[in-house]
């Protein structure tokens, strides 16, 4: 893989792929005809990249169930257990102001204002 990260998590992902030996990273701002060509040439000539990609693919594809069967299992599981309430996140049971942490923000703001007022007095 020839990785050219632009923004976000692409930089970290391409560095991880390069560390695993399945990619060469060419930084976007250092991208030149020569850099691109030499990286691509190295990927095509060096057999270790192909072998590492095959190993990574084999590990990724080694699952006990194919994705469709796994999806069918979980749909049937939820149906068998009447919605599987035990798998729901606890965030569903919070009030909106607790979910948005407004109660914590109010408490911290109150403490800061109280400390500022005490310091001023």
């Amino acid at each position: 893989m020839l990785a050219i990260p632009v923004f976000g998590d692409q930089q970290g992902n391409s560095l991880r792929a390069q560390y695993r030996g399945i990619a060469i990273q060419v930084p976007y701002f250092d991208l030149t005809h020569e850099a691109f060509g030499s990286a691509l040439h190295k990927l095509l000539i060096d057999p270790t990249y192909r072998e590492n990609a095959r190993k990574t693919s084999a590990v990724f594809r080694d699952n006990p169930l194919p994705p469709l069967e796994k999806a069918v299992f979980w749909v049937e599981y939820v149906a068998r257990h009447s919605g599987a309430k035990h798998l729901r996140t606890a965030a569903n049971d919070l009030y909106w102001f607790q979910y948005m942490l407004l109660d914590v923000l109010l408490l911290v703001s109150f403490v800061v204002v109280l400390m500022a007022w005490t310091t001023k007095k």
Side-chain angles (χ1 to χ4, degrees), residues 45-117:
I45 298 299
D46 192 351
T48 59
Y49 290 102
R50 181 179 297 124
E51 188 57 36
N52 289 339
R54 283 190 181 132
K55 288 177 185 175
T56 303
S57 176
V59 168
F60 180 75
R61 293 173 189 272
D62 189 16
N63 288 313
L65 291 174
L68 181 60
E69 288 183 30
K70 193 181 293 186
V72 168
F73 167 78
W74 283 110
V75 168
E76 290 174 350
Y77 181 89
V78 169
R80 277 194 310 268
H81 295 286
S82 304
K85 303 271 192 246
H86 60 282
L87 295 178
R88 290 178 53 224
T89 177
N92 290 335
D93 300 327
L94 296 176
Y95 294 109
W96 66 272
F97 59 88
Q98 290 174 321
Y99 180 74
M100 311 242 336
L101 294 175
L102 295 180
D103 54 341
V104 175
L105 182 64
L106 182 65
L107 178 67
V108 169
S109 299
F110 176 74
V111 169
V112 168
V113 168
L114 182 66
M115 287 175 48
W117 180 79

